[in-house]
Amino acid sequence: MCGIVGYIGHRKAFPVLIKGLHRLEYRGYDSAGVAMISPAGQLNVYKAKGKVAELEHATIGKDVEGTIGIAHTRWATHGEPSERNAHPHYSQSKQLAMVHNGIIENYESIRQRLQAEGYHFVSDTDTEVLVQLIEYVKTTTGLSLLKAVEKALQQVTGAYSIAVLDKETPNQIIAARKGSPLVIGVGKDDFFLASDATPIVEYTQDVIYVGDEEVVDLTLGQQPHIYRLDGSELAYEIKHLVMTIDELEKGGFEHYMLKEIFEQPNTIRASLQEPMQPHIAPFCKAKRIIICACGTSWHAGLIAKYAIEQIARIPCEVDYSSEFRYRNPVLSSEDILIAISQSGETADTLAAIELAHRYGTFVFSICNVVGSSIPRASNDTYYTHVGPEIGVASTKAFTAQVMALTLLALEIGRVKQTITEERYRHLMNEYRLLPDKIEVVLQQNDRIREYAGNLKEAVSALYLGHGYNFPIALEGALKLKEISYIHAEGYPSAEMKHGPIALISSEMPVVAIAPQCDTYEKVVSNIRVVKARQGRIISVVTEGDTQVSEESEFTMTIPPSDECLSPILAVVPLQLLAYHVAVARGCNVDQPRNLAKSVTVE
Ligand code: G6P
């Protein structure tokens, strides 16, 4: 996902665009840029790698005058995150500038055609190909910008939401959409455009939702005009939105938790930019690793135990910080303590760190909040950088913690040669595919919402998982209980027969996490045991699964992946399930009763 914003009217465009980019930053934040036509007729483009704040910094002292502009916050698809690949992109003559959200699939063949015509490309992006094509059409046919955009778009396949500036027509923005979202704001005597309504509603609540394969002409002094790609004009409806500032901050999502669940493709992408190698030297000498954490962070630690022992072959123990600090543990300078904390302020985890220091144990923390107490008390810290997590139930911080910990195991395994170079490369490749796979999982949101109503009367639920996904059973159960107040327990699949089986009845939802893995058949047998006792099975399985799906009243799927990364995928449908059940029960999802985001007391 990327975010685009545009403005044309009587206001200074720059502050409108920057504020809009901040509101859209949840859609991507690896680079940002702005293009504006100055009162003197210059088409100025400024870009920066990193967040919108970096762009603001980069534009200090620059000419940002003007009342017309377009802007972009990027989540890289084609080409690495860099200033060169950041949007807006100029055309060859620098007469046009364009921002784009989406993917032009046939960009390579168009690029080759344009190169043969003498066009040069300065970026690796599909976007630059499209703006060059528009210029090519415009100059070779003499068509207006509007008509050139229509003609160029007839030649592309893929998805786009674009906005184009032409310095020849400083009172006009042309925008278009197919697949990717685009909203137009209609002010009194000005226009806005954006990927969602959040950058618009504080100026006007009158909006037009642009349809697929539609081109919009925003010319000052006229009404908006909307055309099909063949040039025929379309009628449109102006809708009146009612949105509070609170909703605004949620980027259009009903709750922070849902927004944060949907941010995970981007946060996982951001984690991939954060190298783990600089942190691993002390681990290569460690005799033992002890992980301390609380709540959801403890579940991330449990997954790490599987990865650290299987991949890095270092003995690993996982403790609740609150237990560890009081049980007089055996510690030495040959151990390493990993403290995991989203907030960096959890009192018990901080106390566990202080205890470790007394024994000369090296402390490594995995934390989200830069400069918080836990990193300050640690010898070294890896930051997850997922941005503020506001929903009390942790989601995006958890998946980033699991990413960080499994990456740590992988890097140690590579250095200690406990895994082959081939396996390392295979797993790194699997990591790179994760953001797209999470996008696929998120597409089930509507189905999960529709089903969730079936669980709203449940009194209790059991979550079963095995191996890397046993901690996901715990996490799925925790998510459900903390926000919907339905009692839920997570168990290893095979352990169910030693107790919880007594609870199984046709009233009891049993959530089985059963992606393809070496022990899949054993998990299937456990599920059949539940089914034989009339249990209601809800499952998370790998796409294409038939055995568990046949036994289930509702199935959620994840794309195939290596077992050690499957928890990052499997938890996402469970986050959505808990969220929708809680909403169906009328619970305050973002601020569940009795809970706090950060527990700074014992
Ligand atoms: C609280 C929060 C949980 C969180 C736990 C640990 O209980 O409600 O969501 O997992 O604290 O917090 P930390 O910031 O240390 O990860």
Side-chain angles (χ1 to χ4, degrees):
M1 292 200 295
C2 299
I4 68 170
V5 198
Y7 176 75
I8 176 168
H10 53 87
R11 301 165 203 261
K12 282 182 184 290
F14 186 72
V16 176
L17 297 171
I18 291 293
K19 200 165 183 189
L21 287 184
H22 278 297
R23 295 222 187 277
L24 293 178
E25 216 162 17
Y26 76 94
R27 301 178 65 85
Y29 39 78
D30 61 44
S31 52
V34 58
M36 303 183 47
I37 302 177
S38 73
Q42 292 295 321
L43 176 54
N44 295 315
V45 172
Y46 306 110
K47 315 195 235 190
K49 186 178 171 196
K51 299 198 166 202
V52 178
E54 301 296 326
L55 175 65
E56 287 178 86
H57 191 67
T59 48
I60 293 171
K62 298 273 169 59
D63 176 7
V64 292
E65 287 306 308
T67 56
I68 171 170
I70 55 176
H72 189 268
T73 179
R74 181 170 187 246
W75 179 72
T77 54
H78 289 72
E80 55 165 19
S82 63
E83 195 181 319
R84 188 171 60 87
N85 287 329
H87 302 209
H89 288 282
Y90 277 123
S91 61
Q92 176 114 324
S93 69
K94 298 201 166 170
Q95 181 161 319
L96 310 183
M98 190 179 94
V99 289
H100 168 220
N101 168 34
I103 294 174
I104 305 299
E105 286 159 8
N106 59 339
Y107 80 109
E108 198 46 61
S109 61
I110 299 172
R111 188 208 299 261
Q112 284 167 14
R113 243 175 60 208
L114 292 171
Q115 274 169 335
E117 298 288 340
Y119 278 76
H120 301 290
F121 293 86
V122 295
S123 78
D124 307 315
T125 65
D126 51 342
T127 305
E128 190 186 11
V129 172
L130 181 54
V131 69
Q132 302 270 47
L133 178 65
I134 294 168
E135 175 163 285
Y136 173 72
V137 173
K138 190 168 179 272
T139 51
T140 53
T141 60
L143 288 170
S144 67
L145 177 64
L146 169 70
K147 292 291 157 197
V149 169
E150 288 171 1
K151 276 245 165 333
L153 290 177
Q154 286 168 15
Q155 300 176 42
V156 306
T157 55
Y160 52 79
S161 159
I162 59 166
V164 194
L165 289 186
D166 182 345
K167 71 175 175 185
E168 232 177 41
T169 49
N171 58 349
Q172 182 188 46
I173 299 177
I174 300 295
R177 172 209 162 155
K178 182 186 174 194
S180 308
L182 180 62
V183 187
I184 305 297
V186 184
K188 225 164 140 231
D189 44 14
D190 54 1
F191 301 119
F192 304 78
L193 67 88
S195 300
D196 70 31
T198 57
I200 298 174
V201 286
E202 69 182 274
Y203 308 103
T204 173
Q205 309 231 312
D206 292 330
V207 299
I208 304 166
Y209 288 100
V210 181
D212 267 351
E213 302 202 302
E214 293 179 5
V215 183
V216 186
D217 179 353
L218 299 175
T219 299
L220 272 189
Q222 297 181 13
Q223 289 304 305
H225 289 279
I226 302 190
Y227 303 88
R228 294 192 190 87
L229 293 188
D230 65 9
S232 54
E233 190 159 4
L234 283 163
Y236 56 82
E237 200 191 330
I238 296 181
K239 296 211 153 95
H240 189 73
L241 289 178
V242 183
M243 242 193 204
T244 64
I245 289 293
D246 194 22
E247 284 164 341
L248 266 186
E249 302 295 337
K250 290 175 196 145
F253 287 95
E254 207 184 326
H255 296 99
Y256 283 109
M257 182 181 175
L258 190 61
K259 172 177 176 250
E260 287 157 6
I261 292 172
F262 270 81
E263 281 174 342
Q264 289 175 111
N266 277 349
T267 52
I268 292 293
R269 171 61 65 106
S271 302
L272 284 167
Q273 311 293 333
E274 200 63 39
M276 183 56 82
Q277 289 96 323
H279 304 281
I280 64 160
F283 287 92
C284 296
K285 303 188 295 255
K287 292 267 188 304
R288 183 175 66 144
I289 292 173
I290 299 150
I291 297 179
C292 281
C294 303
T296 288
S297 298
W298 182 72
H299 295 155
L302 290 179
I303 296 169
K305 176 180 167 72
Y306 287 85
I308 288 170
E309 294 200 336
Q310 289 185 13
I311 299 172
R313 305 303 293 159
I314 301 175
C316 180
E317 294 169 17
V318 188
D319 249 308
Y320 284 118
S321 305
S322 53
E323 289 297 311
F324 178 83
R325 64 183 288 195
Y326 290 118
R327 73 174 167 77
N328 192 13
V330 180
L331 283 171
S332 83
S333 57
E334 294 188 319
D335 300 323
I336 289 188
L337 181 100
I338 302 180
I340 312 168
S341 175
Q342 187 285 130
S343 63
E345 299 296 347
T346 303
D348 285 324
T349 305
L350 204 49
I353 292 174
E354 281 156 13
L355 177 65
H357 282 314
R358 272 185 246 143
Y359 291 88
T361 304
F362 186 91
V363 177
F364 177 68
S365 59
I366 292 186
C367 192
N368 193 40
V369 180
V370 177
S372 53
S373 303
I374 287 176
R376 280 190 277 122
S378 304
N379 298 93
D380 188 21
T381 300
Y382 177 94
Y383 284 109
T384 44
H385 287 308
V386 300
E389 192 181 62
I390 313 275
V392 166
S394 183
T395 52
K396 62 177 180 174
F398 172 73
T399 45
Q401 288 166 347
V402 177
M403 272 290 285
L405 289 156
T406 49
L407 266 175
L408 175 71
L410 201 56
E411 294 298 344
I412 302 170
R414 185 191 205 186
V415 174
K416 292 186 73 180
Q417 298 186 334
T418 49
I419 53 165
T420 62
E421 192 60 34
E422 195 190 346
R423 174 116 176 99
Y424 173 84
R425 276 202 302 272
H426 165 74
L427 286 172
M428 285 309 287
N429 197 42
E430 287 276 310
Y431 273 110
R432 288 185 203 103
L433 298 173
L434 274 175
D436 287 352
K437 291 183 182 179
I438 297 174
E439 296 268 13
V440 171
V441 176
L442 290 171
Q443 285 166 12
Q444 295 167 81
N445 182 44
D446 288 346
R447 277 184 66 234
I448 296 172
R449 183 181 56 227
E450 279 158 28
Y451 174 74
N454 293 302
L455 298 186
K456 74 175 194 198
E457 304 300 337
V459 176
S460 192
L462 186 62
Y463 284 65
L464 301 177
H466 170 71
Y468 279 97
N469 284 296
F470 159 52
I472 294 302
L474 297 175
E475 176 61 9
L478 176 64
K479 286 285 91 80
L480 188 73
K481 72 183 143 201
E482 62 186 347
I483 58 171
S484 76
Y485 318 138
I486 295 174
H487 169 253
E489 273 187 81
Y491 252 82
S493 316
E495 189 65 17
M496 178 216 29
K497 55 188 169 294
H498 299 291
I501 195 168
L503 299 171
I504 304 237
S505 74
S506 58
E507 306 294 306
M508 171 87 146
V510 177
V511 181
I513 301 132
Q516 280 301 332
C517 62
D518 292 346
T519 47
Y520 172 77
E521 291 300 336
K522 291 189 194 310
V523 178
V524 174
S525 312
N526 290 309
I527 291 167
R528 293 208 168 114
V529 167
V530 174
K531 189 64 192 247
R533 283 150 186 84
Q534 279 76 51
R536 296 171 68 180
I537 295 167
I538 296 125
S539 56
V540 177
V541 296
T542 306
E543 287 166 2
D545 176 282
T546 51
Q547 294 192 60
V548 176
S549 313
E550 275 166 15
E551 309 291 348
S552 307
E553 97 176 23
F554 183 66
T555 300
M556 298 167 278
T557 59
I558 59 171
S561 80
D562 196 281
E563 193 181 348
C564 75
L565 300 184
S566 64
I568 295 172
L569 296 171
V571 76
V572 176
L574 300 180
Q575 294 167 344
L576 288 171
L577 185 68
Y579 169 80
H580 288 300
V581 172
V583 170
R585 285 164 66 90
C587 299
N588 183 345
V589 171
D590 283 332
Q591 284 147 354
R593 69 184 180 208
N594 305 337
L595 290 176
K597 184 73 192 152
S598 174
V599 182
T600 54
V601 290
E602 259 191 71

